[in-house]
Structures are given as C-alpha cells and as structure tokens.
C-alpha cells in the first residue's frame, strides 16, 4: 500500500509540474505576442540565398495590365501578396515564398507595372508611375485571381502600395507587413524642403527630374540599380548572380518611363491622371491604417526612411514594430527572409 501511495504522489506531482510548465509557456507566448516579439513560427530555417528561382511564372490580364507573377502554396490557402520595390523585383521574395507556402499560404508575387513580364495591354495607356495607380493595379490583380482579401507585405514601392490599399480598401486587406512603416505621401508633402542631409539621400530623385537623368537611367539602368543596391544596403554582400537575376526585370520596355514618372510626380513636376485624383486627395489627408500591421526596419538601411517612432501613431489596429539586426539593409525580405516570413505568418494568423 505504501508503494502504491508513493506512486500516486509521484504521478500527481509530475502532472502538476507539467501543467504549471505549460501554463508558464502559454503566458510567455502571450507576453511575446503582446510585446511584438516574433513567436516561434513553424517555418523551415532558411538562409538568405538558399533559393534562386521561382520556376515557371504565370500571366493574367488584370485591369490595364497583363501581369506576370509567381505563385506557390495551396490554392485554397489564406492568400498573401508580396510586393517588391524599386529598383528590385520579385526575387526579393525568392526565399520568403517557399517558407510561406510550406506554412499553408497561397503566395502571389507579382511584377509591378514596368517590371519583368508585366506589360500594358494597350500602347495608348499612359505610362503612369503615381502610387495610387500601382495600388489600383493590385486591386485589379486580386479581382482577376478571385482573391477577396489578402495579407499584403512589401518594402519600398511595394510597402507604399500595401499602405495605400490598407488605407483606402481595408476590406481587401486582412493584415499587412510594411518595411519602413507608413509610406503614404502626396505631391504637396513632396514639395516641402528637407534638411540638407536628408535631401542628399534623395539625389537620384533630383537627377531623374532632369532630361539628362532620364537619358542616363535609360542608358545605364543596370549600373544605376546596382549603385542603389549598394547605397541602400551597405552591409549586404550580394554577388553578381543575385543582382543579375533581378536586373533582368529592368529590361521591361516601360521600366524607365514608370520610374521617371514616379519620382517626377512626387515632386509635382509631372501630372498624374485625372481618374486617380479622388484617391490622391484622400491619401493627401494621411489616413490612419486600421488593419493589423507589423512594421519592420533593418538596422543598416541606407535608403531614406523615417524613424519608427514617427509613424507608430498612423496605425490604429493591432500593431507592433520589429527592428532586424545584423547589418540588414533596405531590401529586408531578401537580406533577412526568415524574419520577414515570420512577421507575415504572425500577423496573418493574428
């Protein structure tokens, strides 16, 4: 009988200890989520540069465009749309995409207008690079793919596009990951002078404002893009093969026109299209974003970017910020794919 009692005691205290440990783990996980720390995601550990190709790409007519895009993951999975910036392309997400697909997401990675295999359906369409036009492109793509609502994630032009959709069409955006935070602007705000050091970072914007800059980018677009990569990610030791895979996307016949128009429009030096006027008016009011959001920043971003404290108030829904350390620059998803994929999974499943 004494042995039976001892066994029962050991069983009781062992069960109690496991219950207490589980409770402590649950509390710890809850605290991590509330503090904005990445909770352990069931993602394969992937080093930058593990993948080099998406395989075959797809094309679909959507709005004004025949959009080229990569797709991965189960067709019925919760959709995630990954949006690249300038001068980058879909390969910024070449390591992120397989991780999200393995986590069960349907992942769509489109070339923006003026990049890769995306083409305008009509030669008569204005080669317009204004931000609202790019956002309308993605809404049209979602419609064509019959995606009612998606998690949007991106950087640079892609983050700005995601911001605009989240602000103007929150019913289409389940959640968002935005590198460098809140990037919605307007022509009026673009006319406000900045301190000299800040203006210096925008040297290429002023270069593009000239016809010399237009001709220079047309002639030297690959060299120009490589210089931007080096300045924006000064600690990223990318090789020629990595750059060349993305640089091929700049051979798009509309690439230069879109890039030049985008930066000239920002300075008020080029007209937009009237059909986007109402959208731009709403964006000029700096609308607060209500959808669940994680903002991210690399600790070595050499491109112009605001401090996280400057934009935190622009997100009124569930929100957290993550600064990724280790010499991570502007192209965060390609330089730190694990951290980016974890953020997408965390916010998509929140």
């Amino acid at each position: 009988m004494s042995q039976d009692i001892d066994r029962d005691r050991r069983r009781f205290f062992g069960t109690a200890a496991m219950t207490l440990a589980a409770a402590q783990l649950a509390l710890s996980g809850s605290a991590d989520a509330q503090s904005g720390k990445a909770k352990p995601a069931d993602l394969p550990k992937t080093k930058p540069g593990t993948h080099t190709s998406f395989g075959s790409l797809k094309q679909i007519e959507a709005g004004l465009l025949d959009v080229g895009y990569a797709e991965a993951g189960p067709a019925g999975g919760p959709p995630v749309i990954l949006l690249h910036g300038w001068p980058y392309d879909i390969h910024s997400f070449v390591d992120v995409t397989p991780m999200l697909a393995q986590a069960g997401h349907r992942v769509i990675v489109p070339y923006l207008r003026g990049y890769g295999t995306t083409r305008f359906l009509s030669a008569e369409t204005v080669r317009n690079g204004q931000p609202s036009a790019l956002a309308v492109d993605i809404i049209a793509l979602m419609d064509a793919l019959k995606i009612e609502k998606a998690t949007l994630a991106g950087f640079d032009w892609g983050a700005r596009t995601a911001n605009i959709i989240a602000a103007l069409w929150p019913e289409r955006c389940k959640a968002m990951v935005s590198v460098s935070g809140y990037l919605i602007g307007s022509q009026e705000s673009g006319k406000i002078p900045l301190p000299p050091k800040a203006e210096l970072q925008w040297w290429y914007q002023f270069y593009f404002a000239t016809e010399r800059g237009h001709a220079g980018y047309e002639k030297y677009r690959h060299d120009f893009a490589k210089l931007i990569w080096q300045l924006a990610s000064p600690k990223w030791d990318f090789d020629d093969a990595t750059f060349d895979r993305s640089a091929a996307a700049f051979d798009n016949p509309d690439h230069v026109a879109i890039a030049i128009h985008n930066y000239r429009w920002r300075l008020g030096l080029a007209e937009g299209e009237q059909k986007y006027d109402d959208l731009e008016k709403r964006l000029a009011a700096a609308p607060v974003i209500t959808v669940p959001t994680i903002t991210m920043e690399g600790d070595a971003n050499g491109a112009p970017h605001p401090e996280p404290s400057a934009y935190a108030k622009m997100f009124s829904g569930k929100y957290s910020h993550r600064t990724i350390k280790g010499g991570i620059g502007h192209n965060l998803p390609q330089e730190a794919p694990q951290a980016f994929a974890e953020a997408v999974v965390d916010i998509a499943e929140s």
Side-chain angles (χ1 to χ4, degrees):
M1 181 181 293
S2 175
Q3 291 176 343
D4 289 343
I5 292 173
D6 285 345
R7 280 196 299 271
D8 289 343
R9 283 176 175 172
R10 286 195 295 272
R11 188 179 299 113
F12 171 78
F13 285 115
T15 302
M18 286 188 290
T19 302
L20 178 60
Q24 289 174 332
L25 182 60
L27 287 172
S28 172
S30 176
D32 282 349
Q34 291 175 6
S35 66
K37 294 180 181 179
K39 59 182 180 293
D42 188 18
L43 296 173
K45 298 298 180 184
T46 302
K47 294 181 179 180
T50 299
H51 302 90
T52 60
S53 173
F54 287 100
S56 60
L57 300 182
K58 299 181 177 182
Q59 297 287 140
I60 190 168
E61 292 189 6
L64 301 173
L65 303 171
D66 180 16
V67 180
Y69 67 101
E71 182 171 2
V80 173
I81 299 177
L82 304 177
L83 301 169
H84 68 81
W86 172 89
Y88 304 92
D89 85 322
I90 62 174
H91 288 88
S92 291
F93 305 103
V94 73
D95 288 320
V96 170
T97 297
M99 286 189 276
L100 296 181
Q102 185 165 325
H105 292 276
R106 179 189 181 189
V107 188
I108 306 294
V109 195
Y111 281 112
L112 301 183
R113 56 169 62 190
Y115 294 81
T117 60
T118 292
R119 296 289 189 275
F120 285 92
L121 294 173
S122 171
E124 305 303 316
T125 303
V126 178
R127 272 38 179 177
N128 182 350
Q130 70 184 105
S132 60
L134 273 68
V136 170
D137 289 344
I138 301 305
I139 293 293
L141 176 63
M142 293 174 67
D143 290 342
L145 293 172
K146 296 180 170 54
I147 295 174
E148 184 62 31
K149 200 169 190 175
T151 296
L152 304 177
F155 72 106
D156 197 83
W157 288 23
R160 181 174 294 106
T161 301
N163 282 194
I164 292 171
I165 294 172
L168 299 185
W169 298 280
E171 71 279 3
R172 307 301 299 272
C173 183
K174 180 180 185 293
M176 180 173 66
V177 173
S178 178
V179 177
S180 298
Y182 187 89
L183 297 175
I184 294 174
S186 67
Q187 285 186 318
E188 288 305 311
S189 64
K191 294 176 183 178
I192 299 172
L194 301 173
K197 285 186 179 180
E199 295 281 26
L200 179 61
Q201 289 187 302
W202 288 109
W203 64 272
Y204 55 88
Q205 183 172 240
F206 302 118
Y207 180 62
F208 287 167
T210 68
E211 286 309 303
R212 179 187 178 94
H214 189 168
Y217 191 52
E218 180 73 64
K219 183 176 181 178
Y220 298 110
R221 71 182 81 173
H222 287 201
D223 292 343
F224 199 101
K226 181 175 281 190
L227 175 61
I228 294 294
W229 279 35
Q230 292 165 342
L231 294 174
S233 298
K235 296 186 179 181
W236 182 28
D237 188 23
F238 60 88
D239 58 23
D240 287 342
T242 298
F243 174 76
D244 290 342
R245 277 189 290 273
S246 289
F250 314 147
D251 292 332
N252 182 294
D254 301 305
H255 176 75
V256 173
I258 295 296
I260 295 297
H261 184 266
N262 177 281
Y263 288 107
R264 289 185 178 182
W265 181 90
R266 292 196 209 182
L267 294 176
L269 301 176
E271 295 292 327
E273 291 181 86
Q274 188 175 3
K275 63 182 178 180
Y276 301 114
D277 285 353
D278 180 63
L279 299 180
E280 295 297 351
K281 183 178 179 180
R282 293 165 63 188
L283 294 171
V288 171
I289 291 174
T290 60
V291 305
T293 298
I294 292 175
T295 58
M296 305 185 77
E297 192 60 83
D299 65 344
N301 185 1
H305 63 279
E307 289 298 317
S309 60
Y311 52 70
K313 66 180 182 297
M314 301 307 296
F315 301 94
S316 65
K318 181 178 181 181
Y319 172 73
S320 63
H321 176 79
R322 300 177 183 181
T323 296
I324 310 304
K325 298 182 179 180
I328 304 303
H330 190 56
N331 187 1
L332 193 151
Q334 195 163 5
E335 297 176 60
Q338 193 80 35
F340 191 85
E342 287 177 358
V344 173
V345 169
D346 286 348
I347 201 63
E349 298 179 358
S350 64

